[in-house]
Amino acid sequence: MTIERQETKQRMSRIVKHNGTIYLCGQVCADATQGIKEQTQTMLDKVDSLLEQAGSDRNHILSATIYIKDMADFAQMNEVWDNWVNEGYAPARACVQASMARDVLLVEISVVAAEI
């Protein structure tokens, strides 16, 4: 049972694979000057890219934990999420309000997926 780590730095690896399961580190937006919808979309675009790199895709996500700075943005974040998740492939999901590492960040996601 080997553990494969990709893009490993001192604090974390961007991708960890073990026994056919893929773990992504927390992903945030590409441009923190944007609003919740744009931050959510670019965050999910990064998830797509990392999953492809790891040998998976959004239809194989097992669970997602979403951290949102302000629950007032929940409906707008969900609008982007709902358009991103393919029908019949919704993962187990939790969404919690949380303080962010940088004040300009509005949303972050942590994903666990199965390898294809």
Side-chain angles (χ1 to χ4, degrees):
M1 288 193 234
T2 61
I3 298 173
E4 178 187 338
R5 300 174 198 281
Q6 297 179 17
E7 298 184 44
T8 300
K9 305 241 190 293
Q10 182 179 356
R11 267 190 206 140
M12 71 181 100
S13 298
R14 289 192 76 189
I15 299 168
V16 176
K17 295 168 70 172
H18 177 61
N19 281 348
T21 304
I22 298 163
Y23 304 86
L24 301 183
C25 70
Q27 295 301 304
V28 296
C29 64
D31 181 357
T33 66
Q34 299 296 310
I36 187 65
K37 285 185 173 186
E38 295 83 3
Q39 285 198 25
T40 302
Q41 186 60 60
T42 60
M43 172 190 75
L44 295 174
D45 292 344
K46 288 167 78 175
V47 169
D48 278 332
S49 178
L50 287 171
L51 287 174
E52 181 179 346
Q53 178 181 331
S56 191
D57 61 30
R58 71 177 80 159
N59 291 344
H60 289 80
I61 295 176
L62 303 171
S63 69
T65 303
I66 299 172
Y67 306 92
I68 190 166
K69 183 176 180 177
D70 187 343
M71 279 297 179
D73 291 332
F74 185 71
Q76 289 183 74
M77 180 275 299
N78 270 330
E79 184 179 325
V80 176
W81 171 267
D82 291 345
N83 287 324
W84 182 75
V85 174
N86 294 319
E87 187 173 342
Y89 292 94
R93 189 186 104 163
C95 184
V96 296
Q97 184 169 338
S99 297
M100 297 293 164
R102 292 184 296 150
D103 195 49
V104 293
L105 296 173
L106 303 177
V107 64
E108 182 172 347
I109 191 168
S110 179
V111 170
V112 177
E115 270 187 291
I116 297 176

